[in-house]
Amino acid sequence: DSVLTTYFNRHELTGAQAQFGNPGQVLTYPLLLNNQGSLTDSFALAVAGQAWPTSLSTYSVTLPPGANLMVTAQVTIPVTAVVGQVDLALIQAQSANTGLFSGVNLTSTVNMLHQAALTPITVSSAGTPGQTVTYPFQLRNTGSVTLTFGISGQSAWPLSIVPSTIGPLTPGV
């Protein structure tokens, strides 16, 4: 009598494929590497095609049949990235047994950032009853898109803000 034994190699790399973030932010992508084969296999992981700094939690692993491993990919959005800019990274796992690849494309996109800094130029002032006291402020668009700002405030005493609308201000202005 003879026994025929068949072995097969198969693996899969899966995970979340698209995220949004702000300039300077690190996006974390959890990926799952699964050895679906019937043999222990070693896998080499690599990153390709990206323009932004991208790293993996591991670059090689050996898995027994049916085992899986969580691998983390991290993409750093450059501080100079602009709204809507996109970076694509291909994460691949190559089987040492067969040379076959399994991969995931990661898409990282820069968010629109609506943000401003309003700072007083003079912190305190004094006046006599009935006198108008003026406080100058500086408004800066620290976001990533051109915006027009409505300015308002609250006080127990009569308050007027001039101008009540500022803009459009481009980022950094």
Side-chain angles (χ1 to χ4, degrees), residues 52-84:
W52 296 345
T54 303
S55 64
L56 298 172
S57 59
T58 186
Y59 289 88
S60 65
V61 64
T62 300
L63 295 175
N68 57 52
L69 175 74
M70 288 299 296
V71 177
T72 302
Q74 290 191 319
V75 177
T76 302
I77 300 175
V79 294
T80 56
V82 295
V83 173

Side-chain angles (χ1 to χ4, degrees), residues 1-69:
D1 291 333
S2 62
V3 175
L4 177 62
T5 304
T6 303
Y7 296 100
F8 65 95
N9 290 292
R10 186 172 152 194
H11 71 283
E12 181 178 40
L13 183 64
T14 58
Q17 299 178 0
Q19 291 189 33
F20 293 82
N22 299 325
Q25 185 177 350
V26 176
L27 302 178
T28 301
Y29 293 86
L31 307 173
L32 183 65
L33 176 60
N34 188 352
N35 181 2
Q36 300 169 334
S38 62
L39 298 173
T40 296
D41 200 350
S42 295
F43 302 94
L45 288 99
V47 180
Q50 81 288 354
W52 296 345
T54 303
S55 64
L56 298 172
S57 59
T58 186
Y59 289 88
S60 65
V61 64
T62 300
L63 295 175
N68 57 52
L69 175 74

Side-chain angles (χ1 to χ4, degrees), residues 93-159:
Q94 183 179 21
S95 164
N97 289 348
T98 65
L100 296 176
F101 288 91
S102 177
V104 173
N105 286 307
L106 306 181
T107 304
S108 304
T109 306
V110 179
N111 280 331
M112 278 198 256
L113 184 60
H114 298 87
Q115 186 172 300
L118 183 64
T119 54
I121 294 172
T122 304
V123 179
S124 66
S125 189
T128 58
Q131 180 183 4
T132 299
V133 178
T134 302
Y135 290 92
F137 284 83
Q138 181 177 28
L139 174 67
R140 181 168 184 224
N141 181 355
T142 57
S144 60
V145 293
T146 299
L147 295 170
T148 297
F149 297 91
I151 311 297
S152 64
Q154 294 179 352
S155 175
W157 295 340
L159 174 68

